[in-house]
Amino acid sequence: MTDGQQLSGRQLVALLVLMRLEVATIILPSVSCVDQPRESWVAALAGTLAAVPFGLLVAALARRFPGQTVVQFGRAMLGRLAGTFVAFVYVVFFFLIASSVSREVGEAYVASAMPETPWFAFAAVVLAVAAVAAASGIEVIGRAAELLVVAALALFITVLVLPLDMMRISNLLPVLERGLAPALPASLISFGLFGEMIAGWMLAPYLDYPHKMGKYLVSYVVISGVVLIAAILAVVAAFGPTANSRILPVYNLARNVSVARFLERVEMIPLAIWTFAAWVKIGLFLWVSAAAISQIAGLKDYRPLVFPLAFLAAAVSPVLHEDLFGLLDYLSWDNWPVYACTLQVTLLAVLWGAALLRGGGGKAGRSETKRAEGHARPGRGGTGQRPAKKGGHTPGN
Amino acid sequence: MLILAILVTASGCWSSKEIDVLAFATSAGVDRNAETDSPIVTVRIVKPEAIATGGQVGLSPERAFWTVSSEGRTVFEATRNLLQLSPKRIFGGHGRLLVIGEDAARQGVQAYLDFIDRDGETRRAVHMLIVRGETAQKFLEAEFELSPAADLGLETQLAGGRAGMGTIAVTLNEFLIALETPGLEPVASAAEIVVKIPGGIAGEVERSEVKSSPQVGGTAVFRGDRLVGWLDPLDTRGLMWVTGRVVSTVVVVPCPTGDGEDVTLEILKAKAKMEVDVRGDSPTVSVFVDVGAALAELEAYINPLDWPGSVDQLQALLADAVEGEIRSCLHKCQVELGADVFGFGAAIYRSSPAVWRRIEGSWDDMFPLVPVRISVRAEIRRSGVSGRSLRIR
């Protein structure tokens, strides 16, 4: 029941970096959903630093159960009922994000470039294309991400650097005037978004070098953290105290670029970046949801689930937030970030706790893993066989 | 399936705007109707055909732009009402200047600026001008001799910092940041209309002669969002020294030979640093200005090689001149206008937020009394291609 797909480390990092930066390119909630944008970079730094040990723990857990997804090792350690519940929570988490992201993209397009178009048009298109990618397999999405992440990052950095004449360091001072504590709740925003890396628990069986997962996750945190903090600094330096009136800070920043009266109005660059990042993120999360559901339900093939999930995500997206302000409120620290951080940390703690207590997986308890389902990857139909090289999509390969 | 998908996407989108139905507004102006207190929005639309043919010396007979105005209860309503007068949809994305009439500015600009900031088409990089003694509408109807589209030319000058001595360039972004920053009052460039032929502003479609020209110089000083006064060009330069905005300007100092001649020094670089001392009961401010200049013009005979002290004397004279301009500006802003356009309050806030929170409420009273220490260091680095000046034998 394997499908012969593999993810290289670079693809994993690319996937995760785009996943993380998608929100930053569109809304940059650390700045636009926060009271004091001047201190956001401190909060983002705190979130990034906290994400590093989190990533190491996530990777270590996956390493204990080589070739298994969270559905499998969750059920193995927690028992069928509790494990299924945990897996269900996991699926819902990612499914809702996919739906929300499609809404974000739609609203962003409407607010910026095409105000007359209903946002749903964009959301539906992105979901459709992402569904096609998800149904083609994780390697497809991974390769696409790998190809374009470098360009996306380079363009993003360019957009941050071009408006240098607008930026004033005085807009960034004073630093932490009220002390560290009031700035920290906003770090939940960054941490919650970093924590989406627990998608890695479904991706782990596909890695070509599973033992390097820790390194991959740390590189993801470092790369996206650096870019994120640079973005926050750039936006706040350019817009000063008016920064949190911007709904789309990076877009607005690019709009006002004027270099030597020649290079102006490069706002289409953030548009392109966020479209692509959103597509990758939605594709990834649709895949994660479909794959996990197929494993929970014991299905042989996850692909038939992808398009129904996409439809469902499209149907849910208008309901998820009432309007754009609802979306912004959702992303401020006391809404989704609290939920996300709690979920991520709890899942990690529960699974680790079970692993330590029941001694499951890894070097200890090898017998348990054999007893549990040894089928690693979500099936694509056909008999299971582990090919030596990357295989095609034909069943039974 | 594929055909359906292509059909749906290739037919164009809801928001498509073809370029030939757009009227490009290069400048916008806001005035206030004194009787009804409603905003009058004027928009200056460029006519690309007229500019294209105006490449030769002597401008084409057709005016290269068209101004249209209308009124409404709010700025957005007034802008919408413009559509009744314009056959093409007005597109604000290429705007360069935002001009506000003096009367409107005195009443407070907050109400006018929100739409401009919120609308997705306008950019924050537009330059703000306040028209002295006239309405924005009249200003937008005036034009330059040399360039058919005055505002494009103006904006190029402003952006390059070369619009003449004592002209400050302020973008909408800077203005809004200053509005929201505690301890910093916003400023904008001041503009006037120079009437060349008395009794007229400009023709409607044809241009017979240039009847009036726009002129930018000086600064409009605000307290909060209300205009409170003006700075003349020399005081504006004082402001620019302190806020580090001097790009390229010229300072004339008396010749050290003492015979009444002048020396012109071209400023190459000017940097300023503001330090705030909050110890004790009241804060004091120190301004350090570092000026690099070039010897541009000597009216009398001086040979720096023969007279080594001449350069030192010139540097001292330059430092005095700069300090004088700063003092004059300080006096005007502190005593007469009571507006902290230098950002002393903001500097206090940045260095010690706790102190600022204490004095914030009484800053309006404290600001005029703040002692300011000015220290200018001037250095003459170059002298063109001549060393000594002309000697008559």
Side-chain angles (χ1 to χ4, degrees):
Chain A
M1 287 216 227
T2 62
D3 54 1
Q5 298 212 337
Q6 262 199 332
L7 270 184
S8 78
R10 210 163 19 178
Q11 287 162 358
L12 176 69
V13 175
L15 274 175
L16 294 177
V17 166
L18 284 173
M19 164 193 90
R20 174 66 181 88
L21 290 180
E22 178 265 335
V23 187
T25 331
I26 300 185
I27 293 184
L28 202 57
S30 296
V31 165
S32 49
C33 305
V34 158
D35 242 352
Q36 278 275 37
R38 206 173 41 225
E39 305 171 332
S40 301
W41 66 272
V42 176
L45 184 63
T48 311
L49 292 174
V52 172
F54 185 80
L56 289 171
L57 287 172
V58 166
L61 187 66
R63 265 206 311 274
R64 272 178 96 102
F65 301 94
Q68 292 193 5
T69 71
V70 64
V71 178
Q72 289 156 334
F73 63 73
R75 285 210 266 201
M77 289 191 301
L78 299 170
R80 204 157 175 101
L81 193 60
T84 307
F85 175 72
V86 161
F88 183 67
V89 165
Y90 185 86
V91 166
V92 167
F93 177 68
F94 284 110
F95 171 75
L96 285 180
I97 299 179
S99 179
S100 184
V101 167
S102 68
R103 176 78 186 260
E104 276 163 31
V105 168
E107 293 276 11
Y109 265 102
V110 169
S112 61
M114 293 185 244
E116 290 92 358
T117 316
W119 64 263
F120 190 74
F122 301 107
V125 168
V126 164
L127 274 170
V129 184
V132 169
S136 311
I138 191 63
E139 186 171 349
V140 167
I141 310 180
R143 284 188 186 225
E146 178 187 22
L147 271 179
L148 291 163
V149 70
V150 175
L153 282 180
L155 285 173
F156 192 64
I157 302 278
T158 311
V159 160
L160 296 180
V161 163
L162 281 177
L164 267 173
D165 58 338
M166 270 174 79
M167 298 185 198
R168 305 251 176 275
I169 302 211
S170 53
N171 283 330
L172 291 167
L173 303 170
V175 182
L176 295 181
E177 60 169 302
R178 295 166 300 169
L180 191 59
L184 282 183
S187 62
L188 287 179
I189 302 179
S190 320
F191 186 77
L193 288 167
F194 272 117
E196 289 170 359
M197 69 172 113
I198 56 176
W201 282 333
M202 286 299 294
L203 297 171
Y206 289 86
L207 279 182
D208 49 0
Y209 295 110
H211 59 277
K212 286 204 196 166
M213 188 160 171
K215 208 168 76 138
Y216 298 147
L217 289 185
V218 170
S219 349
Y220 141 71
V221 170
V222 167
I223 294 176
S224 12
V226 164
V227 174
L228 172 72
I229 294 176
I232 294 177
L233 287 173
V235 167
V236 176
F239 289 128
T242 65
N244 60 356
S245 69
R246 315 282 90 201
I247 293 179
L248 308 170
V250 178
Y251 171 79
N252 249 291
L253 193 63
R255 250 182 96 74
N256 289 301
V257 161
S258 178
V259 176
R261 299 289 313 274
F262 161 68
L263 194 58
E264 289 192 340
R265 304 192 57 167
V266 292
E267 69 246 32
M268 284 302 140
I269 296 183
L271 221 69
I273 300 176
W274 87 46
T275 312
F276 184 67
W279 170 74
V280 166
K281 186 165 180 174
I282 297 178
L284 175 65
F285 288 178
L286 280 179
W287 181 89
V288 164
S289 310
I293 294 179
S294 77
Q295 284 202 324
I296 297 174
L299 300 175
K300 272 202 286 208
D301 187 359
Y302 76 93
R303 277 177 303 172
L305 293 172
V306 172
F307 278 96
L309 274 176
F311 274 115
L312 203 58
V316 165
S317 58
V319 179
L320 219 45
H321 314 112
E322 222 179 279
D323 52 19
L324 187 58
F325 297 110
L327 176 58
L328 290 174
D329 189 45
Y330 182 69
L331 289 171
S332 43
W333 75 270
D334 49 359
N335 263 311
W336 182 87
V338 167
Y339 150 68
C341 293
T342 317
L343 186 148
Q344 291 151 6
V345 171
T346 311
L347 274 183
L348 185 72
V350 161
L351 289 170
W352 258 115
L356 292 172
L357 285 176
R358 298 196 44 179
K363 301 175 182 91
R366 205 170 270 283
S367 50
E368 275 103 330
T369 18
K370 285 222 174 82
R371 191 161 32 92
E373 294 162 62
H375 305 291
R377 304 154 176 201
R380 300 176 60 97
T383 54
Q385 192 178 346
R386 205 169 246 187
K389 326 189 278 196
K390 300 184 184 159
H393 297 189
T394 53
N397 181 14
Chain B
M1 244 302 267
L2 197 60
I3 299 175
L4 266 177
I6 297 179
L7 263 182
V8 166
T9 50
S11 52
C13 66
W14 276 268
S15 295
S16 67
K17 301 178 196 66
E18 299 301 322
I19 201 167
D20 52 351
V21 307
L22 291 179
F24 291 96
T26 50
S27 303
V30 180
D31 290 307
R32 189 179 143 264
N33 182 331
E35 291 126 34
T36 58
D37 197 29
S38 43
I40 304 172
V41 170
T42 311
V43 146
R44 183 168 162 143
I45 299 167
V46 71
K47 295 197 280 198
E49 324 81 54
I51 293 188
T53 52
Q56 70 270 26
V57 174
L59 303 160
S60 68
E62 188 189 349
R63 252 170 46 137
F65 60 89
W66 174 50
T67 53
V68 55
S69 304
S70 87
E71 196 174 324
R73 274 170 307 179
T74 61
V75 173
F76 192 21
E77 195 181 84
T79 316
R80 269 297 147 86
N81 290 338
L82 283 174
L83 288 177
Q84 294 173 340
L85 302 165
S86 165
K88 295 188 180 182
R89 184 188 176 295
I90 296 175
F91 182 70
H94 292 280
R96 304 271 184 216
L97 297 177
L98 177 61
V99 185
I100 304 186
E102 177 169 1
D103 187 44
R106 288 205 184 260
Q107 297 302 314
V109 296
Q110 183 196 1
Y112 306 138
L113 292 179
D114 180 72
F115 165 65
I116 293 165
D117 193 30
R118 192 180 289 269
D119 183 40
E121 275 180 14
T122 45
R123 305 190 304 143
R124 276 196 173 193
V126 295
H127 288 267
M128 284 198 55
L129 298 177
I130 313 292
V131 183
R132 191 166 179 172
E134 268 295 356
T135 59
Q137 188 174 354
K138 298 249 176 62
F139 183 82
L140 289 173
E141 287 170 1
E143 51 185 289
F144 281 138
E145 283 280 0
L146 210 49
S147 145
D151 41 12
L152 297 179
L154 258 182
E155 198 255 345
T156 314
Q157 288 179 323
L158 283 173
R162 281 164 178 79
M165 283 179 17
T167 312
I168 198 172
V170 180
T171 60
L172 179 63
N173 192 35
E174 291 167 3
F175 193 86
L176 292 174
I177 290 178
L179 269 180
E180 288 206 10
T181 304
L184 176 63
E185 301 288 354
V187 294
S189 320
E192 287 177 303
I193 301 177
V194 173
V195 178
K196 293 191 151 74
I197 299 177
I201 297 290
E204 268 300 311
V205 177
E206 288 226 343
R207 186 200 302 115
S208 42
E209 285 172 67
V210 174
K211 294 214 171 76
S212 61
S213 278
Q215 176 172 299
V216 187
T219 311
V221 176
F222 285 75
R223 278 180 72 167
D225 69 330
R226 285 169 196 267
L227 175 70
V228 292
W230 307 93
L231 292 177
D232 65 22
L234 272 179
D235 290 336
T236 303
R237 209 157 66 172
L239 173 62
M240 286 165 70
W241 293 119
V242 175
T243 51
R245 281 170 138 135
V246 170
V247 174
S248 150
T249 188
V250 145
V251 178
V252 177
V253 298
C255 203
T257 54
D259 49 5
E261 306 272 17
D262 289 320
V263 173
T264 318
L265 297 162
E266 185 188 2
I267 307 299
L268 303 170
K269 201 160 92 153
K271 282 206 301 214
K273 212 165 61 156
M274 209 190 299
E275 275 175 17
V276 171
D277 186 359
V278 292
R279 292 168 300 189
D281 279 335
S282 53
T284 57
V285 177
S286 309
V287 176
F288 301 98
V289 184
D290 205 350
V291 179
L295 200 53
E297 185 180 3
L298 286 174
E299 278 189 348
Y301 170 68
I302 296 180
N303 188 346
L305 292 176
D306 277 343
W307 180 17
S310 61
V311 176
D312 292 328
Q313 286 199 18
L314 283 170
Q315 285 176 175
L317 285 166
L318 175 59
D320 283 338
V322 171
E323 184 172 343
E325 286 176 11
I326 299 178
R327 284 256 169 247
S328 161
C329 180
L330 267 178
H331 178 83
K332 187 94 195 272
C333 292
Q334 273 187 302
V335 174
E336 290 179 37
L337 299 173
D340 184 2
V341 295
F342 309 95
F344 293 154
I348 297 175
Y349 177 52
R350 284 197 298 270
S351 64
S352 20
V355 172
W356 172 252
R357 267 195 291 278
R358 236 184 330 119
I359 64 176
E360 190 174 2
S362 50
W363 182 242
D364 281 344
D365 303 316
M366 286 177 74
F367 170 67
L369 307 167
V370 171
V372 182
R373 196 169 74 85
I374 305 174
S375 158
V376 182
R377 196 176 77 89
E379 192 187 338
I380 296 184
R381 297 180 193 163
R382 295 186 225 153
S383 79
V385 296
S386 303
R388 61 169 179 82
S389 46
L390 293 171
R391 180 159 62 175
I392 303 170
R393 293 186 190 274

